[in-house]
Structure formats: structure tokens, C-alpha cells
């Protein structure tokens, strides 16, 4: 290990790379970003990327300016339009979200005024933040990144520490390129074994959240590891990290490996030439040392794990699709479970595969990358969505949409009866615009099944792209292995 | 400069909302929009889905619509309060309603930081103690009054015993002073710049200049 201890003006020590004790990937990235140790467990961390979106980007940028401050380093700030943009074909600046135009206009104006790179609505690089920034090579391994969005941990899939913040924290990072934060506790989540056919990252993470609970990783940064994780593609790792926050974690990460290097090479903002070689070596060094300490370890055996689906209003309310709606009294919080079943209009003991659906949604930062679309298309190819089911596909980015079209996936979706839309957050969350009808039951590849998340009274069942596709065809919650 | 209201001692009505996992969208629904891009003006967004019916009329069964709770300055809530979306509007809505402190066994972590940045105290107590405080505050004979003292880190129901809570010293100091945290960090500007000089040398790829490629790759 190299040693480059340096003493800073405040007398604090830069601990970068100086220790021989075994460290996890989380510790290594953290240590490399400590600008100063403050008090308690709090460090001033350098933030390598500040990622903005239409919903809060304008407010954060304007707040900096209103305070008479400047961006510390505008080259490390990037933005995209995703939350309030229309996803219907032929869209323009108009949005079904009431007041949405104000957010779009303000963000565009502030980004222009302050010199921030913005992937605007008509830009071929536009899309959902957490999809676009890895796709462009803006999100890189070993970096620290923040975005005013709780699913920023998605970027942990490329071996980075990334987390969601509020607007005021975002403003702090914009003005100082740092954040003062407490070191999170660490948790190692090992997934060992080989899951069943058509069982994908979404099923793994739903099974973990069901086992540890929606608050089970509160305050922790999770490293996902084990044979089942090494076997996952990089996009699938993003799905996994995307939902770390649904277990209460601050963030999630999968350590870099060769597969990741293959994924990143040649992306527009990724380093090239000798800089690439140097970076690639440094990234592989970020892997956790043998015997690295964690505050907690949990292991999930995934041999024979089947597709998962949620039955309630918290991501922890997940179980096998071939199973039954549980009885509240058998659960840790019976009152909450009863309330959830009431909202979901489900009875204990009902076979999940008998529950009829009104709609199927394939989209979001969780599961709308090219690999997700391919998985769903495999199930759909040559079939038609069941009578009366509204089926919608919203690709995670414009680049994903175009890539899918280049290989003819759009035809598969359209021929099956899916709407094929422009990229954005769309119906993943209800912001006053697009929504499913009240009371509608939706099988959804998104990450939150909270009450009213996809519209007032809408009942969301979370599942993988394969399960969404199989259910759309069957008109009920359906096991993709039966297709 | 942006400052927040300092927090020393708060006495007043507490309202109970003891359900687990109340998410930020329930606290301030996403569909609610202020008239302008601002961090203020979110009072009506607070628990809008629970507090008001479709026509905007108050739902009498919701706790904050009932006396004395409509004057609440604190909420006593269930575990994992403020989970979900990072939206800071949840905190702005609480603040604009007049809430100064939220008392829970655990909080969603982004929400907790957002509270601190806006002068709200996210007060966590171990589950058993949290339950005792709730019992003492909301017993049929109790007045639903609480006193929270951040100088001494104590909380008590009127006529109830004191419970000591912990909060990290930095957060406590910031709440007590209503400090401008950006201004504080900018005092370290030279330290930050020195770090970046070293870091740029060590990890040059972390400091991209603008992309020369107009378009992203076509494989997702
Ligand atoms: S797709 Fe959904 S979860 Fe992801 S950033 Fe958009 S609204 Fe949030």
C-alpha cells in the first residue's frame, strides 16, 4: 500500500491509503474522501459528483445564488430532466404534472446561468438520473456522489458511494464540494448460491428486505457480496443497490471487478488511454480486504429462491409469488399488516397467483435498463397482454429506448399491447399528473409500494421485470417460470 | 445568510402518530406544490392526504385536526419515521405547521439530516423508553404537554419523569446556534482546496473536463 499522509491546515490528518488494517470497499472509498475530521464521527467528505434533477435542481441552484455564493466546481455538477417530464410519445416541455413547468423552466435557466451540464428533454442523453449517470460514465467507481433523490444509492452498482440528500444538503455540496457527515455503520449482505430460473436481482433484494425489514439496515452502508452477486451483471447490481434504501440503508455498494471495467470502458465521460489504465488498477484495489470488519453481517442462501412479489404497502411485505397472502397475526407488526391488507384489499390465505391485476408497469430507476427490457421482452415475445390490462413500458433513459429500438424490443412490447413511452420517472410516483385510476391493482417493476405512490388509492405490487411481464399476459399476479 | 431558528427549550402540546414507517410522501404529498420555487409555504401540505378530504375539508378523525393537537409543537411518532423519498418538503411542512421536534425510536436517515438542517430536532429514544414517554404524555389523565430541553438533553411529559436523550455534539451545537453550516464549512476552503490538489494528482480521472462526445453509447 502506498503511503501519502499529509497534515492539513486544521491539524487533522489525511488518512488516505495509510493503514494496513483490513478494510472494506466502503472504508476505502470513505478514507480517500476525508478532507478533514470534524468532531464526533463526522468527517468533511469531498463529493466527486453532484447530480441534479428537474424536481429540485432549480431550487438548489437558485438557493446557492440567492445566498450570494457560487458553485465550488461546476465541472462536477450534472443534471437531467426526469421527475416531472411527460413520458407520452411526442412530448415537449409541457407536462401533466401541475406546476411542473415551473420546475423545468427554473432548472434549465439556473443550469444555463451557472454553467451546469444538463441533459435536457430533447437531449439523447436524457433519462432517469440513476440510469443516465452510469450510462454516460459520469458516475465512476470509487467516487462519492449525491443527488437530491433517495434512490441515488443505485450508483453503488458501479462500486461508488452514493446517497440521497435533501435540497439544503445539496446546496451545501454545490457551494463547498463537501458534506459533513457521520461515518455510517457497515453491513455485509452476502448472497450465496444460485437462484432459480427467471429469478433476478429484484427478487434477491426483495427477499433481503423481507428478511431484515424496511428499517433493518437503518444507518448502515451495505456491501453486497457473495457468489450470487458476482454472477450478476452490472445493471442488475444497480437494481440491488437501488433498493438498499428500502431497507433503511444510507447506501449500498458492490465492489468493482473486471465485469464492471468492461461495462465502463468507452463510456463518454470515462477516462481513456493511460488514465484508464491507472484508474482501472485503482478501482480493482477498492475490493474489500480479506477479514475486513463490518458492524453487521447477514447471509442469504438463494439456492432455489423463487420470484418475489409484495402483497402489502411496504417493500418488506414481500414473499414468493407461489405463496399466499400472510395472516397479520403471524407477522411482527399485526396492526400495520392489517392496515396494509385493508389498503391492498387482500385477504389472508389468498393464493397470490390468483390475484387479478388492472395494470402492469415496466419502468423506473430500479428496473428499466436495457437488460430489464430484454428480460421482459423474452417473456412477452409472441404473446398478448390479457384483456383489460393497461400495460406501460417507460425505458430508463432515452439511450436505453434507442438501444431497445435498435434490437427490435419496442416491437415486442407494442405487439404484446404495451405502451412504448419516452423516458422519465413517469408513473413510478404520483406528482399530481399521470396516475393509475384509484383502486387499480398494478404489478410494477418500481421500488415503492407505499399507499398512494402511483396514484391515490392505487395498489402496487412490486416485482421483477419478468414477473411484471408474465402477470401482464396472465391478467393476474403470475410466476414467470410458468411462461 | 440562511439561518434557522435556534433550538433551546420547547414546551407545548405533543401529538401522537404512533404508526411505524410513515414515509415522507405521507408527511407531505408529492402532488402539493407551492406557488413559487421556495423552501417556505408548505403548511397546507402537512399530512394533506390524512388531514383533508378530496374537497380540502378537514377530516375530523385526524389527530392534528383535533384540539388540543392542532397547536402541537412536537410529534411523538413510530419507528422509521420519514422513510422514503428524500423530499425536504416533508420537513418544511412540519416546520411551517409549527412543529419543532419529532420524537421517534428511529428515523429515515435523509429525513433526520433534513430536520437538523432546518432547525427541527429529530429526537430518538430507545423503543421501551419511547413507549414510556408516549404513555406518560398521552395517558387519559395527562395533558399532552411535553418539555424538551436541548441544553440538558432531557425530555419529559408535564408531571412526568425526565428522560435523557442523546444527540451527536455537532448536531446539538448547530441546533442550539441555528448556525449556517455552509458558511462554517467555507471557513475550511483552503483545506478543501489543498485536498483537491492532492486528490487530482492521485485520482485525475475524478476531475473530468467536459465531454467531447455529443451523445451517449447506444448500448444501455
Ligand atoms: S424512477 Fe421513481 S424511484 Fe426512481 S428516481 Fe424516478 S420517481 Fe424516484
Amino acid at each position: 500500500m502506498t503511503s501519502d499522509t499529509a497534515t492539513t491546515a486544521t491539524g487533522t490528518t489525511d488518512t488516505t491509503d495509510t493503514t494496513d488494517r483490513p478494510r472494506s470497499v466502503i472504508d476505502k472509498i470513505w478514507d480517500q474522501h476525508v478532507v478533514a475530521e470534524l468532531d464526533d464521527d463526522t468527517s468533511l467528505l469531498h463529493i466527486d459528483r453532484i447530480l441534479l434533477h428537474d424536481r429540485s435542481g432549480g431550487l438548489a441552484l437558485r438557493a446557492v445564488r440567492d445566498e450570494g455564493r457560487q458553485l465550488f466546481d461546476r465541472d462536477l455538477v450534472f443534471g437531467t430532466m426526469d421527475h416531472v417530464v411527460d413520458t407520452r410519445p411526442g412530448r415537449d416541455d409541457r407536462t401533466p404534472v401541475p406546476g411542473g413547468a415551473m420546475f423545468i423552466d427554473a432548472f434549465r435557466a439556473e443550469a444555463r446561468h451557472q454553467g451546469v451540464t444538463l441533459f435536457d428533454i430533447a437531449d439523447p442523453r436524457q433519462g432517469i438520473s440513476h440510469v443516465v449517470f452510469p450510462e454516460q460514465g459520469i458516475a465512476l467507481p470509487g467516487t462519492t456522489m449525491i443527488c437530491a433523490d433517495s434512490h441515488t444509492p443505485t450508483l453503488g452498482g458501479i462500486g461508488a458511494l452514493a446517497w440521497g440528500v435533501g435540497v439544503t444538503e445539496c446546496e451545501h455540496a454545490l457551494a463547498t464540494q463537501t458534506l459533513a457527515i457521520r461515518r455510517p455503520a457497515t453491513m455485509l449482505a452476502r448472497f450465496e448460491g444460485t437462484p432459480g430460473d427467471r429469478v433476478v436481482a429484484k427478487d434477491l433484494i426483495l427477499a433481503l428486505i423481507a428478511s431484515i425489514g424496511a428499517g433493518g439496515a437503518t444507518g448502515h452502508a451495505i456491501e453486497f457480496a457473495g457468489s450470487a452477486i458476482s454472477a450478476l451483471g452490472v445493471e442488475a447490481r444497480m437494481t440491488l443497490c437501488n433498493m438498499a434504501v428500502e431497507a433503511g440503508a444510507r447506501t449500498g455498494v458492490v465492489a468493482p471487478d473486471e465485469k464492471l471495467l468492461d461495462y465502463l470502458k468507452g463510456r463518454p465521460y470515462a477516462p481513456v488511454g493511460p488514465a484508464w489504465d491507472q484508474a482501472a488498477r485503482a478501482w480493482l484495489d477498492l475490493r474489500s480486504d480479506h477479514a475486513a470488519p463490518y458492524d453487521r453481517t447477514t447471509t442469504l442462501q438463494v439456492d432455489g429462491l423463487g420470484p418475489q412479489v409484495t402483497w402489502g404497502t411496504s417493500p418488506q411485505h414481500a414473499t414468493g409469488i407461489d405463496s399466499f397472502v400472510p395472516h397479520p397475526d403471524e407477522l411482527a407488526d399485526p396492526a400495520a399488516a392489517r392496515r396494509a391488507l385493508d389498503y391492498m384489499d387482500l385477504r389472508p390465505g389468498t393464493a397470490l397467483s390468483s390475484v387479478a391485476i388492472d395494470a402492469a408497469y415496466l419502468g423506473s430507476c430500479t428496473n428499466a435498463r436495457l437488460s430489464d427490457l430484454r428480460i421482459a421482452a423474452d417473456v412477452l415475445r409472441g404473446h398478448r397482454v390479457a384483456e383489460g390490462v393497461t400495460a406501460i413500458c417507460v425505458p430508463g433513459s432515452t439511450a436505453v429506448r434507442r438501444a431497445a429500438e435498435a434490437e427490435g424490443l419496442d416491437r415486442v412490447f407494442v405487439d404484446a399491447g404495451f405502451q412504448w413511452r419516452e423516458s422519465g420517472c413517469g408513473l413510478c410516483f404520483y406528482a399530481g399528473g399521470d396516475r393509475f385510476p384509484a383502486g387499480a391493482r398494478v404489478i410494477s417493476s418500481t421500488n415503492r409500494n407505499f399507499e398512494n405512490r402511483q396514484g391515490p388509492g392505487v395498489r402496487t405490487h412490486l416485482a421483477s421485470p419478468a414477473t411484471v411481464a408474465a402477470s401482464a399476459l396472465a391478467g393476474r399476479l403470475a410466476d414467470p417460470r410458468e411462461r | 445568510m440562511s439561518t434557522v431558528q435556534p433550538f433551546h427549550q420547547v414546551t407545548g402540546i405533543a401529538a401522537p402518530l404512533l404508526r411505524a414507517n410513515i414515509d415522507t410522501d405521507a408527511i407531505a404529498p408529492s402532488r402539493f406544490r407551492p406557488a413559487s420555487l421556495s423552501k417556505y409555504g408548505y403548511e397546507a401540505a402537512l399530512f394533506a392526504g390524512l388531514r383533508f378530504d378530496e374537497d380540502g375539508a378537514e377530516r375530523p378523525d385526524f389527530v392534528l385536526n383535533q384540539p388540543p393537537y392542532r397547536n402541537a409543537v412536537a410529534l411523538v411518532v413510530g419507528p422509521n419515521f420519514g422513510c422514503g423519498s428524500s423530499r425536504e418538503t416533508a420537513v418544511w411542512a412540519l416546520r411551517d405547521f409549527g412543529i419543532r421536534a419529532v420524537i421517534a425510536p428511529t428515523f429515515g436517515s435523509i429525513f433526520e439530516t433534513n430536520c437538523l438542517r432546518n432547525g427541527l430536532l429529530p429526537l430518538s429514544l430507545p423503543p421501551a423508553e419511547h413507549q414510556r414517554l408516549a404513555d406518560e404524555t398521552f395517558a387519559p389523565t395527562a395533558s399532552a404537554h411535553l418539555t424538551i430541553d436541548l441544553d440538558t438533553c432531557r425530555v419529559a411529559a408535564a408531571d412526568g419523569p425526565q428522560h435523557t436523550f442523546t444527540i451527536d455534539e455537532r448536531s446539538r451545537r448547530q441546533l442550539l446556534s441555528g448556525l449556517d453550516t455552509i458558511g462554517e464549512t467555507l471557513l475550511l476552503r483552503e483545506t478543501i482546496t489543498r485536498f483537491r490538489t492532492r486528490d487530482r494528482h492521485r485520482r485525475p480521472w475524478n476531475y473530468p473536463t467536459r465531454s467531447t462526445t455529443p451523445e451517449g453509447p447506444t448500448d444501455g
Side-chain angles (χ1 to χ4, degrees):
Chain A
M1 246 168 227
T2 58
S3 171
D4 68 0
T5 310
T7 303
T8 66
T10 51
T12 52
T13 300
D14 173 22
T15 52
T16 313
D17 296 345
T18 57
T19 166
D20 283 329
R21 72 188 158 79
R23 291 179 301 161
S24 69
V25 56
I26 299 163
D27 298 329
K28 290 182 185 183
I29 300 176
W30 184 279
D31 291 345
Q32 285 188 346
H33 287 82
V34 175
V35 171
E37 297 291 358
L38 304 172
D39 33 16
D40 293 324
D41 294 335
T42 308
S43 306
L44 192 67
L45 278 200
H46 187 263
I47 303 300
D48 298 335
R49 303 285 184 271
I50 300 164
L51 308 170
L52 302 174
H53 58 74
D54 49 2
R55 178 136 170 134
S56 51
L59 181 53
L61 287 170
R62 186 175 291 176
V64 171
R65 207 154 58 87
D66 284 350
E67 296 293 329
R69 295 181 173 124
Q70 289 180 345
L71 301 187
F72 198 97
D73 183 350
R74 68 188 175 112
D75 286 352
L76 302 187
V77 185
F78 298 87
T80 184
M81 297 280 189
D82 58 5
H83 274 71
V84 301
V85 297
D86 195 0
T87 58
R88 290 168 301 188
R91 69 164 172 213
D92 52 25
D93 266 19
R94 282 167 298 189
T95 154
V97 176
M102 174 176 85
F103 291 84
I104 292 172
D105 292 348
F107 186 32
R108 182 180 292 143
E110 287 297 333
R112 196 169 290 158
H113 188 78
Q114 304 193 46
V116 169
T117 302
L118 168 64
F119 303 151
D120 211 330
I121 294 176
D123 193 304
R125 299 168 296 184
Q126 177 274 343
I128 305 172
S129 308
H130 319 312
V131 177
V132 157
F133 296 121
E135 196 168 75
Q136 294 299 321
I138 288 166
L140 292 173
T143 54
T144 49
M145 297 179 276
I146 58 136
C147 174
D149 187 278
S150 57
H151 291 104
T152 310
T154 311
L155 308 178
I158 53 133
L161 287 187
W163 62 97
V165 295
V167 170
T168 305
E169 284 285 85
C170 197
E171 203 184 317
H172 185 287
L174 287 167
T176 71
Q177 209 59 48
T178 65
L179 279 185
I181 48 172
R182 283 165 75 86
R183 197 175 187 118
T186 55
M187 175 171 171
L188 176 63
R190 300 191 65 91
F191 291 73
E192 300 293 356
T194 312
D197 208 24
R198 287 202 163 139
V199 178
V200 292
K202 181 65 153 288
D203 302 304
L204 301 186
I205 189 66
L206 284 174
L208 178 75
I209 299 167
S211 112
I212 67 174
T218 297
H220 287 70
I222 306 177
E223 178 183 352
F224 297 101
S227 58
I229 304 305
S230 312
L232 292 177
V234 173
E235 296 188 345
R237 296 172 186 180
M238 291 193 230
T239 302
L240 205 66
C241 294
N242 175 274
M243 292 194 69
V245 65
E246 306 307 333
R250 294 257 292 275
T251 192
V253 62
V254 178
D257 62 2
E258 300 285 347
K259 214 183 255 186
L260 176 63
L261 299 186
D262 290 344
Y263 170 87
L264 287 167
K265 196 158 191 173
R267 299 207 171 249
Y269 284 82
V272 290
W276 167 268
D277 298 336
Q278 189 193 0
R281 271 195 307 277
W283 293 337
L284 291 179
D285 274 349
L286 291 172
R287 279 185 277 206
S288 295
D289 297 327
H290 176 68
Y294 297 86
D295 296 296
R296 272 175 73 191
T297 298
T298 176
T299 302
L300 213 71
Q301 289 296 339
V302 299
D303 281 316
L305 181 78
Q308 303 286 300
V309 67
T310 60
W311 49 265
T313 54
S314 161
Q316 75 182 11
H317 296 153
T319 186
I321 187 129
D322 49 5
S323 153
F324 301 86
V325 177
H327 208 286
D329 293 335
E330 293 159 6
L331 298 163
D333 187 346
R338 254 187 291 277
R339 190 189 155 98
L341 288 185
D342 197 40
Y343 180 86
M344 294 299 289
D345 192 26
L346 288 174
R347 252 179 243 217
T350 307
L352 282 162
S353 60
S354 71
V355 175
I357 57 163
D358 303 298
Y361 185 69
L362 186 68
S364 89
C365 56
T366 316
N367 274 134
R369 295 178 183 79
L370 188 58
S371 53
D372 299 311
L373 268 47
R374 283 179 181 151
I375 288 169
D378 269 352
V379 176
L380 295 175
R381 197 167 276 118
H383 300 285
R384 286 284 303 173
V385 164
E387 189 74 28
V389 170
T390 305
I392 299 173
C393 177
V394 180
S397 71
T398 300
V400 167
R401 185 177 196 266
R402 291 192 174 177
E405 286 166 354
E407 56 186 79
L409 300 186
D410 59 322
R411 290 309 329 155
V412 177
F413 283 103
V414 171
D415 290 348
F418 267 76
Q419 296 177 31
W420 180 247
R421 292 203 175 188
E422 296 284 351
S423 180
C425 294
L427 289 105
C428 171
F429 84 120
Y430 172 62
D434 260 359
R435 62 164 114 178
F436 292 101
R441 188 179 298 285
V442 186
I443 182 85
S444 182
S445 73
T446 55
N447 48 38
R448 286 196 176 128
N449 52 349
F450 297 165
E451 290 179 19
N452 310 315
R453 170 79 178 176
Q454 293 186 294
V458 172
R459 302 180 175 117
T460 300
H461 293 270
L462 304 176
S464 75
T467 304
V468 169
S471 305
L473 297 180
R476 55 175 173 80
L477 302 181
D479 192 329
R481 295 171 299 187
E482 288 164 11
R483 282 270 156 196
Chain B
M1 292 295 108
S2 65
T3 46
V4 297
Q5 191 181 355
F7 191 115
H8 287 275
Q9 207 193 56
V10 166
T11 297
I13 300 290
L17 224 90
L18 290 155
R19 186 143 68 78
N21 301 322
I22 294 181
D23 65 275
T24 51
D25 197 61
I27 301 170
S30 170
R31 65 176 182 279
F32 180 88
R33 307 243 160 247
S36 68
L37 216 57
S38 166
K39 295 185 179 182
Y40 295 88
Y42 291 87
E43 193 276 339
L46 185 67
F47 296 114
L50 301 164
R51 219 165 119 211
F52 307 111
D53 65 19
E54 290 76 29
D55 304 322
E58 287 188 359
R59 293 178 196 273
D61 57 338
F62 185 64
V63 62
L64 293 181
N65 289 331
Q66 298 161 0
Y69 304 116
R70 56 168 75 244
N71 298 317
V73 296
L75 295 181
V76 182
V77 300
N80 204 22
F81 185 81
C83 61
S85 157
S86 61
R87 76 181 53 126
E88 201 164 322
T89 46
V91 172
W92 299 334
L94 287 163
R95 175 202 60 196
D96 292 350
F97 182 87
I99 300 293
R100 302 294 319 280
V102 187
I103 305 173
T106 54
F107 293 97
S109 63
I110 304 174
F111 174 83
E112 189 170 12
T113 306
N114 287 343
C115 281
L116 294 167
R117 295 293 172 263
N118 289 279
L120 260 76
L121 172 63
L123 193 166
S124 48
L125 285 174
E129 205 159 349
H130 178 267
Q131 187 59 56
R132 277 200 294 280
L133 178 70
D135 293 344
E136 288 151 14
T137 313
F138 305 116
T141 52
S143 63
H145 265 79
L146 272 180
T147 296
I148 302 162
D149 189 335
L150 188 58
D151 289 302
T152 60
C153 289
R154 298 244 173 96
V155 55
D159 310 321
Q162 300 276 353
H163 300 269
T164 304
F165 59 89
T166 52
I167 176 169
D168 72 89
E169 196 40 43
R170 183 179 173 81
S171 302
R172 193 176 82 99
R173 187 163 46 82
Q174 287 178 341
L175 283 171
L176 288 170
S177 64
L179 199 67
D180 164 23
T181 54
I182 299 178
E184 191 184 26
T185 302
L186 283 175
L187 297 176
L188 296 172
R189 182 183 275 279
E190 291 205 354
T191 310
I192 299 169
T193 305
R194 244 193 310 276
F195 170 89
R196 283 163 56 90
T197 307
R198 280 198 314 277
D199 194 48
R200 208 180 263 275
H201 182 69
R202 195 173 51 189
R203 302 182 304 151
W205 59 87
N206 266 6
Y207 298 82
T209 43
R210 275 138 209 277
S211 167
T212 45
T213 350
E215 231 181 274
T218 46
D219 66 323

